[in-house]
Amino acid sequence: MQDFPAFLKGKKIILGVSGSVAIYKSLEILRCLQKLGAEVRVIMSQKAKDFISPLLFESLSHYQVLEDCNQSWGQNPINHIEIAKWGELFLIAPASANTLNKIAYGIADNMLLEAFLAFDKKKLIAPSANTQMLKNKATQRALKILENDGVGIIPTQSKELACKSVGEGALAEPLEIVYWVLRAVLSKPFWLNKEVLISGGGSRERIDAVRYLSNFSSGKMAQSLALVAYFLGAKVCYVGSKFPYHLPLGIEVIKTETSESFLKAIQKWQKHKKTKKEDSFLLMCAAISDYIYPKPHATKTKKEAIGAVWDLKLVQNKDILASLDKSKQRTIGFKLENTSEEVKALKNAQKALKEKGLEGICLNCISPSHNPLTSSHNQILWVGALGEKDLGFGDKFTQSFKIFSELETL
């Protein structure tokens, strides 16, 4: 999360914790939410206090923890109604089998359950339970009831549990839970039924069994776009060779290397996607090699066989963006030019927009002082059919939000 901006600045989140060995992960969730700018208040069930002291949550959140023994209705109230009015999102992590079964049937016999029952905005639950307790028909029935009621259920993971058995039921990783929070808070109705594919990283074109041609692309712009698309609510597929960030499980990931594998992966997505053109978006952010070695060697080429000079005769690569079928989706290209040739760069982008049948191009420039391929920041000029718009200079996540705002106007 090092490069992440304050996505949740000013947002008010209630973190509920119930009795589970996984409660130690709640501390990391709390800190992650705070680093993203959120205010976080904690409610603990009585059983949760058997595992960890409220004082630890209070020292991190800088708010008094709400629990059964300290509810007040006086001049500075702290109670289940007050906190339910305060929060914008309610997350219970971990949620024990006992807690989620009670919630499903409207039982409110502790402070955590009372507050959750009184809360009428976005709700998320991250279960944590023994495999058999989770698989029990009563628990499965409760989970279906909660989903039907609009509560987001964050899937558990399969691993060794506290009881030493291996199976489903472990609390989701803190970052995965935080990603669910970001999607719940940042999603927009426009993107909820949209499919988005983003290609990223540099292609690797084989020379022999150990060497390849590539470039300095870090994949940061592409993965920023993929994460933002996911946060906005879209169904996202990331096709790439570089993975600078840990992506949520909700993003389909296809690992690629060569330009040919990029092409095949995108064509497969085009074939299997469910949405029509106006609801599908392809963002070709990958840095595909302009040249390839036509006949890669199957084994390592020994330097004794090469000699003092290795004269690699490269051939021009296929233009993947130009060759893709544009009738399947709205297609956006990314173009890198030299800062010293800004006027020529814009003309090149406008020319590519028409010749390749694109809806837009994100033009960025490289200079001796700034390389957008490796940096966490970028200067982008949006080039579309209706003209150009300077998106300014900023971190790649902020730039991604601006790009998706432009896509909404297509």
Side-chain angles (χ1 to χ4, degrees):
M1 298 180 65
Q2 182 178 354
D3 294 333
F4 286 23
F7 288 122
L8 298 174
K9 186 176 182 179
K11 299 297 181 182
K12 298 175 179 179
I13 296 174
I14 304 168
L15 174 61
V17 291
S18 63
S20 167
V21 175
I23 195 170
Y24 70 93
K25 291 186 178 181
S26 302
L27 299 170
E28 187 177 346
I29 294 167
L30 169 58
R31 293 296 291 140
C32 286
L33 294 173
Q34 288 177 321
K35 287 177 181 178
L36 292 172
E39 293 181 65
V40 185
R41 291 176 63 177
V42 178
I43 308 177
M44 297 182 70
S45 71
Q46 192 64 32
K47 289 290 185 181
K49 292 166 60 181
D50 292 342
F51 291 92
I52 201 165
S53 168
L55 184 62
L56 188 51
F57 283 108
E58 288 182 357
S59 64
L60 293 177
S61 70
H62 306 295
Y63 280 104
Q64 183 178 2
V65 170
L66 180 59
E67 48 177 311
D68 286 350
C69 65
N70 69 353
Q71 181 169 219
S72 68
W73 299 82
Q75 188 174 2
N76 297 306
I78 173 173
N79 55 62
H80 63 285
I81 301 299
E82 178 269 333
I83 200 169
K85 289 180 179 178
W86 174 85
E88 297 173 58
L89 179 139
F90 202 136
L91 164 68
I92 300 182
S96 64
N98 182 53
T99 292
L100 62 89
N101 275 294
K102 285 183 175 182
I103 291 173
Y105 292 98
I107 297 172
D109 60 358
N110 64 42
M111 196 60 59
L112 173 58
L113 300 177
E114 286 178 1
F116 202 77
L117 193 63
F119 191 78
D120 61 356
K121 284 154 273 188
K122 292 181 178 180
K123 301 178 180 182
L124 295 174
I125 289 179
S128 174
N130 168 270
T131 303
Q132 297 309 315
M133 294 175 73
L134 184 67
K135 288 183 176 180
N136 186 282
K137 290 182 180 179
T139 306
Q140 290 299 308
R141 190 160 52 244
L143 288 169
K144 289 179 182 177
I145 290 171
L146 291 169
E147 284 186 316
N148 290 337
D149 288 345
V151 178
I153 305 297
I154 303 172
T156 59
Q157 56 180 323
S158 180
K159 60 190 301 186
E160 183 177 337
L161 307 177
C163 58
K164 296 299 181 181
S165 62
V166 176
E168 199 67 39
L171 184 70
E173 291 302 323
L175 184 55
E176 180 69 15
I177 293 172
V178 170
Y179 279 152
W180 272 72
V181 171
L182 285 164
R183 184 173 169 95
V185 171
L186 301 175
S187 63
K188 297 176 67 175
F190 177 88
W191 291 102
L192 295 183
N193 296 308
K194 305 296 191 295
E195 290 188 75
V196 178
L197 183 144
I198 295 111
S199 68
S203 67
R204 294 179 175 182
E205 310 300 339
R206 283 169 54 93
I207 297 173
D208 61 17
V210 297
R211 303 177 181 93
Y212 60 84
L213 295 169
S214 192
N215 52 63
F216 291 112
S217 176
S218 64
K220 287 184 177 181
M221 188 72 239
Q223 289 211 316
S224 297
L225 288 162
L227 282 165
V228 167
Y230 174 80
F231 299 154
L232 290 171
K235 181 181 179 182
V236 183
C237 177
Y238 176 74
V239 175
S241 62
K242 294 289 184 69
F243 296 84
Y245 306 121
H246 181 83
L247 296 178
L249 298 176
I251 292 180
E252 179 187 2
V253 174
I254 302 174
K255 295 181 179 180
T256 53
E257 287 196 346
T258 67
S259 52
E260 189 64 26
S261 65
F262 269 97
L263 177 60
K264 288 180 178 178
I266 295 167
Q267 290 174 331
K268 183 178 179 180
W269 174 82
Q270 289 179 315
K271 181 179 179 181
H272 294 290
K273 70 182 184 66
K274 301 291 192 295
T275 48
K276 51 190 177 181
K277 177 176 179 175
E278 51 267 37
D279 293 329
S280 305
F281 297 83
L282 169 61
L283 285 75
M284 283 292 292
C285 193
I288 303 297
S289 180
D290 293 319
Y291 291 86
I292 61 174
Y293 190 56
K295 295 181 179 180
H297 300 284
T299 59
K300 178 185 177 183
T301 308
K302 303 290 287 183
K303 64 181 182 181
E304 292 82 1
I306 297 170
V309 177
W310 194 356
D311 186 13
L312 286 174
K313 295 186 183 297
L314 306 179
V315 298
Q316 197 170 78
N317 195 11
K318 179 194 303 182
D319 189 328
I320 290 180
L321 185 55
S323 63
L324 283 167
D325 185 354
K326 310 303 189 307
S327 67
K328 303 286 187 180
Q329 73 286 312
R330 299 180 187 274
T331 308
I332 309 301
F334 281 73
K335 194 165 184 60
L336 181 65
E337 296 278 352
N338 293 311
T339 303
S340 59
E341 302 174 301
E342 287 188 21
V343 175
K344 186 178 179 181
L346 177 57
K347 289 182 178 179
N348 288 341
Q350 292 168 333
K351 180 182 178 183
L353 186 74
K354 294 178 181 178
E355 291 183 350
K356 297 183 181 182
L358 310 178
E359 273 76 25
I361 284 183
C362 295
L363 175 63
N364 51 160
C365 293
I366 187 170
S367 69
S369 60
H370 178 69
N371 185 346
L373 289 176
T374 56
S375 174
S376 297
H377 291 69
N378 206 354
Q379 174 91 30
I380 292 178
L381 180 69
W382 169 264
V383 181
L386 299 178
E388 296 78 48
K389 183 176 181 180
D390 187 359
L391 302 186
F393 182 82
D395 68 84
K396 290 181 176 178
F397 286 102
T398 300
Q399 298 295 69
S400 296
F401 276 108
K402 292 179 180 180
I403 290 169
F404 277 99
S405 292
E406 295 302 317
L407 298 185
E408 291 178 28
T409 66
L410 294 176

